[in-house]
Amino acid sequence: FVGLLLAVRLLPQGGDAAIHKVIDALGWRFITRLLLPLSPSTAAALPSAPGTTSASQQQQVELTCGLGLSILSAACRLPDLAASPQVASLVPMLVGVAVQGG
């Protein structure tokens, strides 16, 4: 997990080859799993009433989604990755988050 945090910090300064290496190493399935709390079906399953989730659980969800979004944003800087079917499959979920004000 610490390595992933470091990779995310270095991605904005990294070149195209570095971004490709990180995406290839992580794989799209893992990146999608980082973003699962953003999907409507998963978000509905998470407790949202006050007091039902601990602050540390909420922080973990936010950190996980933040990491996924950071990796995705770096990947989308490259036209070949941005146009990939893997990114296209995430668009409805991201639009849903934007519509809900997230």
Side-chain angles (χ1 to χ4, degrees):
F1 199 73
V2 172
L4 183 58
L5 288 171
L6 290 173
V8 169
R9 293 279 184 208
L10 297 174
L11 279 176
Q13 293 85 23
D16 295 0
I19 293 170
H20 275 283
K21 285 181 182 179
V22 169
I23 298 298
D24 290 342
L26 294 175
W28 284 107
R29 184 174 182 202
F30 180 74
I31 296 167
T32 302
R33 289 186 69 196
L34 289 173
L35 298 172
L36 276 180
L38 298 178
S39 72
S41 59
T42 306
L46 293 173
S48 59
T52 57
T53 57
S54 71
S56 64
Q57 288 173 326
Q58 185 61 33
Q59 286 176 340
Q60 184 177 2
V61 167
E62 291 172 5
L63 178 63
T64 300
C65 291
L67 285 171
L69 289 171
S70 294
I71 295 165
L72 184 62
S73 69
C76 287
R77 288 188 358 223
L78 306 179
D80 61 321
L81 292 176
S84 71
Q86 294 87 352
V87 172
S89 70
L90 295 172
V91 169
M93 176 182 55
L94 297 173
V95 169
V97 170
V99 167
Q100 294 176 9

